Short mmCIF file of all heavy atoms in Angstrom, two decimals:
data_model
loop_
_atom_site.label_atom_id
_atom_site.label_comp_id
_atom_site.label_asym_id
_atom_site.label_seq_id
_atom_site.Cartn_x
_atom_site.Cartn_y
_atom_site.Cartn_z
N LEU A 95 5.19 5.99 -11.65
CA LEU A 95 5.83 7.17 -11.04
C LEU A 95 5.02 7.55 -9.81
O LEU A 95 3.88 7.99 -9.91
CB LEU A 95 5.88 8.32 -12.04
CG LEU A 95 6.62 9.58 -11.57
CD1 LEU A 95 8.09 9.28 -11.30
CD2 LEU A 95 6.50 10.69 -12.60
N GLY A 96 5.63 7.35 -8.64
CA GLY A 96 4.92 7.56 -7.37
C GLY A 96 4.57 6.22 -6.76
O GLY A 96 3.80 5.46 -7.34
N VAL A 97 5.17 5.93 -5.61
CA VAL A 97 4.93 4.62 -4.97
C VAL A 97 4.43 4.82 -3.55
O VAL A 97 4.95 4.25 -2.59
CB VAL A 97 6.18 3.71 -5.01
CG1 VAL A 97 6.37 3.16 -6.40
CG2 VAL A 97 7.42 4.45 -4.55
N GLY A 98 3.43 5.69 -3.43
CA GLY A 98 2.79 5.90 -2.13
C GLY A 98 1.63 4.93 -1.98
O GLY A 98 1.68 3.79 -2.44
N ASN A 99 0.56 5.41 -1.36
CA ASN A 99 -0.58 4.55 -1.03
C ASN A 99 -1.12 3.80 -2.25
O ASN A 99 -1.44 2.62 -2.17
CB ASN A 99 -1.72 5.40 -0.45
CG ASN A 99 -1.33 6.06 0.86
OD1 ASN A 99 -0.95 5.39 1.80
ND2 ASN A 99 -1.41 7.38 0.91
N ILE A 100 -1.26 4.50 -3.36
CA ILE A 100 -1.88 3.89 -4.54
C ILE A 100 -0.83 3.28 -5.48
O ILE A 100 -0.94 2.12 -5.89
CB ILE A 100 -2.73 4.95 -5.29
CG1 ILE A 100 -3.90 5.41 -4.40
CG2 ILE A 100 -3.24 4.39 -6.62
CD1 ILE A 100 -4.90 4.33 -4.04
N ASN A 119 10.22 7.20 -7.37
CA ASN A 119 9.63 8.27 -6.56
C ASN A 119 10.49 9.52 -6.78
O ASN A 119 11.27 9.57 -7.72
CB ASN A 119 9.53 7.85 -5.09
CG ASN A 119 10.89 7.54 -4.48
OD1 ASN A 119 11.93 7.81 -5.09
ND2 ASN A 119 10.88 6.97 -3.29
N SER A 120 10.33 10.51 -5.90
CA SER A 120 11.12 11.74 -6.13
C SER A 120 12.50 11.66 -5.49
O SER A 120 13.39 12.42 -5.85
CB SER A 120 10.37 12.96 -5.58
OG SER A 120 10.39 12.98 -4.17
N ARG A 121 12.68 10.71 -4.54
CA ARG A 121 13.91 10.74 -3.73
C ARG A 121 14.98 9.75 -4.16
O ARG A 121 16.08 9.74 -3.61
CB ARG A 121 13.56 10.49 -2.26
CG ARG A 121 12.82 11.64 -1.60
CD ARG A 121 12.20 11.23 -0.29
NE ARG A 121 11.16 10.24 -0.51
CZ ARG A 121 10.95 9.18 0.27
NH1 ARG A 121 11.71 8.96 1.32
NH2 ARG A 121 9.98 8.33 -0.01
N SER A 153 1.15 8.47 -10.29
CA SER A 153 0.41 8.39 -9.03
C SER A 153 1.08 9.26 -7.97
O SER A 153 1.57 8.78 -6.95
CB SER A 153 0.31 6.93 -8.56
OG SER A 153 -0.60 6.84 -7.48
N ILE A 154 1.11 10.55 -8.27
CA ILE A 154 1.73 11.53 -7.37
C ILE A 154 0.68 12.59 -7.04
O ILE A 154 -0.32 12.71 -7.75
CB ILE A 154 2.99 12.17 -8.00
CG1 ILE A 154 2.62 13.14 -9.13
CG2 ILE A 154 3.92 11.09 -8.53
CD1 ILE A 154 3.84 13.87 -9.71
N THR A 178 -3.84 8.70 -11.58
CA THR A 178 -4.68 8.30 -10.43
C THR A 178 -5.13 9.50 -9.61
O THR A 178 -5.75 9.33 -8.57
CB THR A 178 -3.92 7.35 -9.48
OG1 THR A 178 -2.97 8.10 -8.69
CG2 THR A 178 -3.20 6.24 -10.22
N SER A 179 -4.84 10.72 -10.04
CA SER A 179 -4.90 11.84 -9.10
C SER A 179 -6.30 12.38 -8.84
O SER A 179 -7.23 12.23 -9.65
CB SER A 179 -3.98 12.96 -9.54
OG SER A 179 -4.43 13.52 -10.73
N ASN A 180 -6.43 13.01 -7.70
CA ASN A 180 -7.64 13.72 -7.26
C ASN A 180 -7.22 15.06 -6.69
O ASN A 180 -6.12 15.20 -6.17
CB ASN A 180 -8.35 12.93 -6.16
CG ASN A 180 -8.88 11.61 -6.64
OD1 ASN A 180 -9.64 11.54 -7.59
ND2 ASN A 180 -8.46 10.54 -5.98
N ARG A 185 -5.94 20.00 0.92
CA ARG A 185 -4.68 19.27 1.07
C ARG A 185 -3.64 19.76 0.09
O ARG A 185 -2.46 19.93 0.43
CB ARG A 185 -4.95 17.77 0.82
CG ARG A 185 -3.73 16.88 0.95
CD ARG A 185 -3.98 15.52 0.32
NE ARG A 185 -4.18 15.60 -1.13
CZ ARG A 185 -4.65 14.62 -1.89
NH1 ARG A 185 -5.01 13.49 -1.33
NH2 ARG A 185 -4.78 14.78 -3.19
N TRP A 214 -8.11 4.24 -11.18
CA TRP A 214 -7.73 3.97 -9.78
C TRP A 214 -7.86 5.21 -8.89
O TRP A 214 -7.33 5.22 -7.78
CB TRP A 214 -6.30 3.44 -9.65
CG TRP A 214 -6.05 2.11 -10.26
CD1 TRP A 214 -6.62 0.92 -9.90
CD2 TRP A 214 -5.12 1.80 -11.32
NE1 TRP A 214 -6.12 -0.09 -10.68
CE2 TRP A 214 -5.19 0.42 -11.55
CE3 TRP A 214 -4.24 2.56 -12.07
CZ2 TRP A 214 -4.42 -0.22 -12.50
CZ3 TRP A 214 -3.47 1.93 -13.02
CH2 TRP A 214 -3.55 0.55 -13.24
N ASN A 215 -8.52 6.28 -9.37
CA ASN A 215 -8.65 7.46 -8.52
C ASN A 215 -9.77 7.29 -7.51
O ASN A 215 -9.77 7.97 -6.47
CB ASN A 215 -8.94 8.72 -9.35
CG ASN A 215 -10.41 8.80 -9.73
OD1 ASN A 215 -10.89 7.94 -10.47
ND2 ASN A 215 -11.14 9.78 -9.22
N VAL A 217 -10.85 4.81 -5.54
CA VAL A 217 -10.82 3.73 -4.56
C VAL A 217 -9.91 4.17 -3.41
O VAL A 217 -8.82 4.71 -3.64
CB VAL A 217 -10.33 2.40 -5.19
CG1 VAL A 217 -8.91 2.50 -5.73
CG2 VAL A 217 -10.46 1.25 -4.20
N SER A 219 -7.21 3.81 -0.50
CA SER A 219 -6.02 2.97 -0.54
C SER A 219 -6.19 1.68 0.26
O SER A 219 -5.70 0.63 -0.15
CB SER A 219 -4.80 3.75 -0.04
OG SER A 219 -5.02 4.25 1.25
N1 NAP B 592 -4.58 7.74 -0.82
C1 NAP B 592 -5.71 7.36 -1.41
O1 NAP B 592 -6.58 6.71 -0.79
C2 NAP B 592 -5.93 7.70 -2.87
C3 NAP B 592 -6.94 7.03 -3.55
C4 NAP B 592 -7.12 7.27 -4.90
C5 NAP B 592 -6.33 8.21 -5.55
N2 NAP B 592 -5.38 8.88 -4.85
C6 NAP B 592 -4.60 9.90 -5.59
O2 NAP B 592 -3.44 9.26 -6.10
C7 NAP B 592 -2.33 10.18 -6.06
C8 NAP B 592 -1.26 9.58 -5.16
O3 NAP B 592 -1.82 9.44 -3.87
P1 NAP B 592 -1.09 8.64 -2.72
O4 NAP B 592 -1.99 8.67 -1.54
O5 NAP B 592 -0.61 7.31 -3.24
O6 NAP B 592 0.17 9.59 -2.48
P2 NAP B 592 1.35 9.45 -1.44
O7 NAP B 592 1.14 8.25 -0.55
O8 NAP B 592 1.59 10.77 -0.84
O9 NAP B 592 2.61 9.09 -2.39
C9 NAP B 592 3.03 10.00 -3.35
C10 NAP B 592 4.15 9.38 -4.15
O10 NAP B 592 4.47 10.30 -5.20
C11 NAP B 592 5.88 10.52 -5.20
N3 NAP B 592 6.16 11.84 -5.75
C12 NAP B 592 5.69 13.03 -5.32
N4 NAP B 592 6.16 14.02 -6.10
C13 NAP B 592 6.94 13.42 -7.05
C14 NAP B 592 7.70 13.91 -8.13
N5 NAP B 592 7.75 15.21 -8.41
N6 NAP B 592 8.37 13.00 -8.89
C15 NAP B 592 8.32 11.68 -8.61
N7 NAP B 592 7.59 11.15 -7.59
C16 NAP B 592 6.92 12.03 -6.82
C17 NAP B 592 6.29 10.38 -3.76
O11 NAP B 592 7.66 10.12 -3.70
P3 NAP B 592 8.56 10.78 -2.54
O12 NAP B 592 7.99 10.26 -1.26
O13 NAP B 592 9.93 10.29 -2.85
O14 NAP B 592 8.40 12.29 -2.69
C18 NAP B 592 5.44 9.17 -3.35
O15 NAP B 592 6.05 7.97 -3.76
C19 NAP B 592 -2.87 11.50 -5.49
O16 NAP B 592 -3.20 12.36 -6.55
C20 NAP B 592 -4.13 11.06 -4.75
O17 NAP B 592 -5.10 12.10 -4.73
C21 NAP B 592 -5.14 8.63 -3.54
#
Side-chain angles (χ1 to χ4, degrees):
L95 184 62
V97 285
N99 296 304
I100 296 297
N119 61 10
S120 73
R121 289 166 295 140
S153 190
I154 72 176
T178 77
S179 66
N180 295 304
R185 180 196 66 193
W214 295 297
N215 80 296
V217 62
S219 57

